């Protein structure tokens, strides 16, 4: 069979053809809107969208992932490149192209350095807050387009100032913009299989012919227009910081979307890193802007039954046909319609269920997400993300500095040893305290670890203190110093310190630091049962000495008889008075005897 025919039948026909047409119809207005959002224009935005559609099936591996224009990354690029262009006078498309190339180069370098782990810094609360903040920024950026007037929405303060100064509201633009949003939301709610964005575009074009609203104007499928010119090193340095932040956010978005829609299929992070990096480099060379993955387009592809990532080639064909044959119609598209599409994109970024899950889990998670959202809106995207990452790390250190800890005991009918606070009927071995501290030992919790262990060792009759170190595999010098101090404190009280479940990850630094020699190999055990058994054997061979009761002071017979008689009559208050007089007389006699000596 002809390989080309086989490729078409296997990867471009059937459900892939259907999915490609639907996703393409959805992508055309998105690409135009995001092109406007990024600053390259609607026409160039549509052309640039072709590059990831063509390259991803060759480089990527996810079946449904739709790589291309994405609202958050487009806005992030525009929000950071725009001020640089304003202060330097360099054209926005050129700066966006340079930023895209640098973003791709950083991603490819990260692949070589195996540095994909940096995306782990973006925790779920950070991502939720970031997307919510970006949604607010997107809404603010479209206020002028929807009301039909020039509005400075770069910050909340400037927007409020413009509104106070007076804004001319075009009711037809408001009607078209909010109507576009309502149509898309309606189809999303009641007919999700139908591309509501395409219906809204059709209605918008019709409105552009009959209503007095501003339209996008002449449209054609062209590459971004810019002239190469020398860029100062200082500007490159500014763009490098921007590119690094975009690389982290975009790659995280790709991985999150790929994993969310992977099902039982394995996601190869390294392949996705290469695919995204190479696409950004090629796209930037053609004047494009950084891209990412679209969860909405990916969902549409899966919903329409795509079986291969090559459905993206069908999407590319739809974009080309639309650009070449529908340009006269698309030129009548109202600006407010593009604004409505972006408002819908902002709507999809706010995950209410995710906020509820954070609230159910921990207030600290909500605080981090809220700080990120507020920071993105008030400080900007990059400072907002940096603030949220800092808060996430601070919250992590706070939780690790005061982790769960507890004394362990045996629960009847339940295997193993368990926290006595969780099981009040747990039984402890007399003279033995088994303790667990559920955190790595490091500078932030070393004092708490020492204090908690010493307090637990104050149990009556404690002779051995067995520390379950299964959770303490990570340790620094401060944590090892705390372990040494604990050993010395327990030894001064005649208590033996033993370690159970010692792993090589802990044994190696203990040996290098001299702690293993101090504690002694004979006091380290691979499991808790062997440690408990060792204590039982030791306790059997070394029974505790019987306590010696204190000798009673001689009591004068007369006063003792009087006190006993008063107690027998129930006159305890008077008996206490007699005892006090007795003790005072006893002390007085002892003083007189010492004086005579």
């Amino acid at each position: 069979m002809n390989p080309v025919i086989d490729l078409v039948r296997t990867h471009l026909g059937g459900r892939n053809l259907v999915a490609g047409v639907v996703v393409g119809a959805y992508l055309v207005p998105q690409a135009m809107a995001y092109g406007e959002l990024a600053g390259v224009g609607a026409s160039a935005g549509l052309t640039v969208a072709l590059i990831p559609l063509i390259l991803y099936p060759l480089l990527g591996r996810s079946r449904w992932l739709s790589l291309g224009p994405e609202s958050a990354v487009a806005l992030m690029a525009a929000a950071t490149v725009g001020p640089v262009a304003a202060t330097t006078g360099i054209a926005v498309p050129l700066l966006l192209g340079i930023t895209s190339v640098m973003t791709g180069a950083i991603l490819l370098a990260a692949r070589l350095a195996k540095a994909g782990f940096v995306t782990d810094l973006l925790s779920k609360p950070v991502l939720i807050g970031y997307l919510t903040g970006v949604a607010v920024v997107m809404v603010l950026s479209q206020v002028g387009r929807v009301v039909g007037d020039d509005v400075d929405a770069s910050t909340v303060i400037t927007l409020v100032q413009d509104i106070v100064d007076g804004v001319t509201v075009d009711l037809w633009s408001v009607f078209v913009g909010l109507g576009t949003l309502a149509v898309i939301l309606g189809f999303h709610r009641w007919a999700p299989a139908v591309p509501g964005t395409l219906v809204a575009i059709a209605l918008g074009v019709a409105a552009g012919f009959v209503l007095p609203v501003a339209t996008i104007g002449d449209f054609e499928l062209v590459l971004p227009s810019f002239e190469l010119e020398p860029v100062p090193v200082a500007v490159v340095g500014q763009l490098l910081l921007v590119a690094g932040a975009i690389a982290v956010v975009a790659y995280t978005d790709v991985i999150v979307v790929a994993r969310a829609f992977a099902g039982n299929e394995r996601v190869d992070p390294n392949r996705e890193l290469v695919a995204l990096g190479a696409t950004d480099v090629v796209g930037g060379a053609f004047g494009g802007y950084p891209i990412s993955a679209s969860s909405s387009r990916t969902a549409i592809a899966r919903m329409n039954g795509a079986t291969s990532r090559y459905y993206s080639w069908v999407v590319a064909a739809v974009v080309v046909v639309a650009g070449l044959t529908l340009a006269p119609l698309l030129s009548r598209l109202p600006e407010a319609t593009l604004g409505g599409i972006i408002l819908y994109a902002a709507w999809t970024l706010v995950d209410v269920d995710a906020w509820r899950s954070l609230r159910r889990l921990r207030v600290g998670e909500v605080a981090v997400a809220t700080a990120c959202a507020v920071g993105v809106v008030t400080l900007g995207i990059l400072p907002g993300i940096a603030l949220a990452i800092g808060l996430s790390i601070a919250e992590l250190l706070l939780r690790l500095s005061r982790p769960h800890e507890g004394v362990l005991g045996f629960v009847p009918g339940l295997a193993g040893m368990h926290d006595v606070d969780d099981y009040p009927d747990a039984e402890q071995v007399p003279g033995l305290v088994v303790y667990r501290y559920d955190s790595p030992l490091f500078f932030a919790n070393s004092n708490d670890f020492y204090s908690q262990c010493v307090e637990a060792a104050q149990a009556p009759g404690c002779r051995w203190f067995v520390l379950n170190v299964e959770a303490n595999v990570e340790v620094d010098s401060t944590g090892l110093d705390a372990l040494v101090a604990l050993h010395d404190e327990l030894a001064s009280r005649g208590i033996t310190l033993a370690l159970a479940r010692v792993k090589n990850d802990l044994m190696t630094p203990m040996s290098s630091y001299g702690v293993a020699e101090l504690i002694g190999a004979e006091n380290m055990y691979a499991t808790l049962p062997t440690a408990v058994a060792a204590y039982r054997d030791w306790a059997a061979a070394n029974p505790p000495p019987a306590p010696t009761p204190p000798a009673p002071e001689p009591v004068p017979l007369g006063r003792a008889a009087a006190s006993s008689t008063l107690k027998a009559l129930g006159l305890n208050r008077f008996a206490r008075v007699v005892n006090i007089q007795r003790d005072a007389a006893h002390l007085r006699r002892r003083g007189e005897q010492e004086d005579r000596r």
Side-chain angles (χ1 to χ4, degrees):
M1 182 180 293
N2 190 310
V4 176
I5 297 177
D6 183 54
L7 174 66
V8 172
R9 288 181 177 178
T10 305
H11 299 294
L12 303 179
R15 300 303 302 175
N16 289 322
L17 178 61
V18 174
V21 171
V22 176
V23 173
Y26 186 81
L27 173 61
V28 168
Q30 263 196 340
M32 296 173 64
Y34 296 161
E36 289 282 351
L37 185 66
V40 298
S43 300
L46 189 59
T47 308
V48 170
L50 292 172
I51 297 173
L53 294 174
I54 296 172
L55 291 182
Y56 182 77
L58 302 175
L59 301 174
R61 287 294 180 269
S62 297
R63 180 189 303 185
W64 296 294
L65 186 70
S66 178
L67 199 66
E70 196 274 328
S71 57
V73 172
L75 178 64
M76 190 173 180
T80 51
V81 168
V84 177
T87 56
T88 61
I90 302 175
V92 170
L94 176 58
L95 294 178
L96 286 174
I98 295 174
T99 302
S100 182
V101 171
M102 295 173 68
T103 300
I106 290 173
L107 291 169
L108 294 176
R111 170 64 184 92
L112 295 176
K114 300 179 180 180
F117 70 91
V118 297
T119 59
D120 295 338
L121 294 176
L122 296 178
S123 62
K124 183 177 180 180
V126 171
L127 290 176
I128 292 173
Y130 160 72
L131 292 177
T132 302
V134 166
V136 175
V137 174
M138 289 174 65
V139 171
L140 295 178
S141 69
Q142 299 307 305
V143 170
R145 180 171 279 158
V146 172
V147 302
D149 193 12
D150 290 333
V151 177
D152 184 1
S154 57
T155 65
V156 177
I157 296 176
T158 57
L159 175 62
V160 172
Q161 185 63 48
D162 274 10
I163 293 176
V164 171
D165 293 340
V167 175
T168 302
V169 178
D170 184 349
L171 295 180
W172 285 117
S173 292
V174 174
F175 171 76
V176 171
L178 297 184
T180 299
L181 175 61
V183 169
I184 300 175
L185 288 175
F187 276 96
H188 176 75
R189 174 65 177 84
W190 290 292
V194 178
T197 304
L198 182 61
V199 177
I201 286 291
L203 294 175
V205 170
F209 277 101
V210 299
L211 296 179
V213 292
T215 62
I216 65 173
D218 292 336
F219 166 77
E220 56 183 333
L221 200 63
V222 297
L223 288 174
S225 176
F226 65 90
E227 296 181 1
L228 291 176
E229 59 180 276
V231 178
V233 176
V235 174
V236 174
Q238 289 180 276
L239 296 181
L240 181 62
L241 178 62
V242 172
I246 293 176
V248 173
V249 173
Y251 176 62
T252 300
D253 198 21
V254 167
I255 293 300
V256 168
V257 173
R259 289 175 177 170
F261 292 93
N264 295 325
E265 297 180 0
R266 178 180 175 273
V267 175
D268 187 345
N270 292 326
R271 292 294 304 187
E272 303 305 328
L273 189 60
V274 171
L276 179 61
T279 304
D280 272 333
V281 170
V282 175
F286 285 94
Y289 55 90
I291 61 171
S292 185
S294 168
S295 59
S296 58
R297 295 196 303 268
T298 303
I300 291 174
R302 187 177 69 168
M303 182 176 61
N304 285 276
T307 61
S308 168
R309 62 185 179 275
Y310 289 93
Y311 82 89
S312 291
W313 286 359
V314 179
V315 179
V318 172
V319 171
V320 172
V321 171
L324 294 177
T325 63
L326 302 179
L329 292 177
L330 292 176
S331 66
R332 303 299 301 177
L333 188 68
E335 290 277 356
T337 298
L338 290 180
I341 294 173
I342 295 177
L343 290 181
Y344 172 71
W347 176 282
T348 62
L349 293 180
V350 181
D351 192 340
V352 177
D353 290 336
W355 279 96
R356 289 172 179 167
S357 67
L358 295 183
R359 185 188 63 187
R360 289 193 298 266
L361 176 63
R362 187 183 299 116
V363 176
E365 302 268 289
V366 178
V368 170
T370 302
C372 184
V374 174
V376 166
V377 174
T378 59
L379 303 177
I381 292 178
L382 294 182
I385 293 176
L387 173 64
I389 291 177
L391 289 177
S392 295
I393 295 175
E395 191 213 10
L396 173 63
L397 289 176
L398 180 62
R399 286 190 281 118
L400 289 178
S401 66
R402 297 298 182 269
H404 172 269
E405 47 80 31
V407 175
L408 308 182
F410 294 99
V411 180
L414 192 61
M417 301 189 72
H418 305 275
D419 194 330
V420 296
D421 291 335
D422 297 333
Y423 297 91
D425 59 340
E427 300 175 355
Q428 295 180 248
V429 179
L432 173 67
V433 173
V434 180
Y435 182 80
R436 184 180 65 212
Y437 193 79
D438 294 333
S439 171
L441 297 181
F442 66 117
F443 64 91
N445 62 19
S446 58
N447 288 333
D448 180 68
F449 165 76
Y450 173 83
S451 300
Q452 297 289 354
C453 288
V454 170
E455 181 179 348
Q458 292 176 353
C462 176
R463 306 175 69 199
W464 269 37
F465 187 86
V466 174
L467 184 62
N468 181 357
V469 294
E470 61 180 325
N472 311 135
V473 291
E474 293 293 336
V475 64
D476 64 3
S477 59
T478 310
L480 290 173
D481 286 340
L483 199 56
V484 171
L486 176 64
H487 171 273
D488 294 343
E489 175 63 24
L490 295 180
S492 68
R493 302 182 183 189
I495 300 174
T496 299
L497 173 63
L499 306 183
R501 305 199 69 174
V502 183
K503 302 177 182 178
N504 287 334
D505 290 337
L506 178 61
M507 179 61 75
T508 300
M510 284 200 309
S511 300
S512 301
Y513 208 69
V515 181
E517 182 180 359
L518 177 66
I519 296 176
E522 70 280 3
N523 293 324
M524 298 188 192
Y525 303 92
T527 65
L528 276 177
T530 56
V532 174
Y535 169 74
R536 292 183 189 273
D537 293 341
W538 179 86
N542 300 272
T548 303
E553 290 283 346
V555 179
L557 294 180
R559 293 187 181 276
S563 176
S564 300
T565 302
L566 291 173
K567 288 182 179 179
L569 294 175
L571 302 177
N572 293 327
R573 178 180 179 184
F574 294 100
R576 287 197 297 272
V577 173
V578 171
N579 288 335
I580 292 173
Q581 294 174 346
R582 177 201 65 198
D583 294 339
H586 178 64
L587 293 174
R588 186 169 56 253
R589 285 196 300 272
R590 289 186 57 182
E592 293 174 352
Q593 292 173 358
E594 291 177 358
D595 291 340
R596 285 196 295 269
R597 294 193 189 99

